[in-house]
Amino acid sequence: MGENITETKMNTVYALAFGSIMALGLPLNAVSLWIFLRCHSLRSPTAIFMVNLAISDLLLVISLPMRVYFYATGTWPLSRMACIWITMLFRNNIRSSSIFITFISVDRLLAVVYPLRSRHLRTSSSAWKAAALVWLIVSVVNIPESVDFKRFLNNLTESSCFEFSQPHRSPIAFFQPVLVFTLLAVNIVCTALVSWTIHRHLSESARIINKVNVMLIFVMNLMMFTVFFLPLSLFIFFKEWKSAISPLVCLASVNCCLDPLLYYFSFDGFWKKKEDVDISLARE
């Protein structure tokens, strides 16, 4: 009896948490995407990656109402296939967000450390091709995952969703932790190289505010990985974390509310009009 009351209270907390994330994430990312598409020509690779990051966050947000319903009522009204695809939307957000955040870090690295030699790489065409490749890879990985997930759900006697541990350690299950670990390493290297370059030339430039903004991007990117992406990705390696899956999913979902801070405070041209951004790009 006590366990049921505790479970009911925790489900209420999860419903409120996911509802709050949805209430914040939807307007923040929708407004961010509108500003990018309405006020920018999207010639900057960073802007293109941020647009795709906002799309990834919106895809996560639209999956949250069913999580709120499930935890609020304790029932799953839709099919198991719907459960699979909503779960895939969440996993795709972790993967695509981590990749696009890393692309932003690499783009800033090239702009700061190799500004002249990287001009032919840092083009809008290359950025859109990279973004398309990311979505393709993420979608392809969903195919074996969905098959694996469906097999697991078919073995359940009750109609449920979300409240389950990793079905089994199939090879595809290690894709996300390997991806997150690899991208975290890339972000750490990028942060170290850019920090070293900025400090080396600190006295040679008066644009100290821009330097602070550049480092802010890297600090926020590392925070995204260590606080939101890494804990959930480590779940597969620790069986004793089985009871922590829902809190970890809830924590990871918060990233969609914080990504807009990356746009507002770190992207130098976010609040500029399209014409101003075009002029600044022409001067780079």
Side-chain angles (χ1 to χ4, degrees):
M1 181 70 177
E3 291 183 2
N4 290 335
I5 294 176
T6 302
E7 183 179 355
T8 301
K9 289 181 178 179
M10 290 306 301
N11 286 344
T12 302
V13 171
Y14 295 144
L16 291 173
F18 284 118
S20 300
I21 293 170
M22 179 180 63
L24 286 173
L26 181 60
L28 286 175
N29 285 284
V31 170
S32 299
L33 186 60
W34 182 84
I35 290 176
F36 275 122
L37 298 179
R38 177 70 176 81
C39 303
H40 294 271
S41 59
L42 298 184
R43 295 183 185 178
S44 164
T46 298
I48 293 171
F49 295 140
M50 287 183 176
V51 164
N52 282 274
L53 185 59
I55 293 173
S56 175
D57 289 337
L58 284 173
L59 290 176
L60 170 64
V61 169
I62 65 175
S63 72
L64 294 183
M66 292 313 304
R67 286 186 182 269
V68 174
Y69 180 89
F70 173 78
Y71 285 111
T73 64
T75 60
W76 179 251
L78 303 179
S79 66
R80 286 176 174 173
M81 185 56 67
C83 172
I84 290 172
W85 284 109
I86 289 176
T87 302
M88 290 302 111
L89 282 177
F90 169 77
R91 294 188 178 186
N92 287 348
N93 171 259
I94 299 295
R95 295 158 187 176
S96 59
S97 292
S98 63
I99 296 174
F100 288 127
I101 284 174
T102 303
F103 281 172
I104 292 170
S105 292
V106 172
D107 177 68
R108 293 295 85 194
L109 167 71
L110 294 175
V112 173
V113 182
Y114 308 105
L116 298 179
R117 283 183 285 178
S118 64
R119 277 182 175 270
H120 67 287
L121 294 175
R122 297 180 58 248
T123 63
S124 59
S125 175
S126 298
W128 283 118
K129 290 177 182 177
L133 182 61
V134 170
W135 290 114
L136 177 61
I137 292 174
V138 168
S139 300
V140 168
V141 171
N142 285 165
I143 298 174
E145 273 193 329
S146 298
V147 173
D148 192 41
F149 223 34
K150 184 177 181 181
R151 187 182 302 114
F152 171 77
L153 289 176
N154 287 338
N155 293 329
L156 296 179
T157 55
E158 73 279 2
S159 178
S160 183
C161 190
F162 307 131
E163 287 292 330
F164 38 73
S165 61
Q166 190 73 26
H168 61 272
R169 295 186 177 183
S170 60
I172 195 66
F174 290 93
F175 172 78
Q176 181 166 315
V178 170
L179 176 70
V180 171
F181 272 114
T182 302
L183 297 180
L184 175 59
V186 173
N187 277 271
I188 292 174
V189 172
C190 289
T191 303
L193 289 175
V194 171
S195 178
W196 177 77
T197 302
I198 286 179
H199 280 83
R200 187 181 64 174
H201 298 289
L202 190 62
S203 61
E204 300 175 14
S205 175
R207 300 183 63 188
I208 186 66
I209 296 179
N210 286 344
K211 293 178 181 293
V212 171
N213 287 344
V214 168
M215 288 311 303
L216 180 61
I217 292 178
F218 289 95
V219 170
M220 293 182 66
N221 288 352
L222 288 177
M223 182 194 69
M224 289 291 182
F225 273 89
T226 56
V227 176
F228 303 112
F229 301 153
L230 194 59
L232 184 61
S233 300
L234 291 173
F235 169 74
I236 189 175
F237 298 108
F238 301 96
K239 292 182 178 179
E240 59 271 21
W241 287 14
K242 179 180 178 180
S243 59
I245 182 63
S246 294
L248 289 176
V249 169
C250 190
L251 176 65
S253 300
V254 176
N255 86 88
C256 72
C257 298
L258 297 184
D259 281 337
L261 296 178
L262 190 69
Y263 320 142
Y264 298 154
F265 300 114
S266 302
F267 182 44
D268 199 28
F270 186 80
W271 297 110
K272 297 178 182 178
K273 295 180 180 180
K274 183 186 297 185
E275 295 80 3
D276 297 334
V277 174
D278 290 342
I279 292 173
S280 63
L281 286 171
R283 291 174 177 174
E284 288 187 356

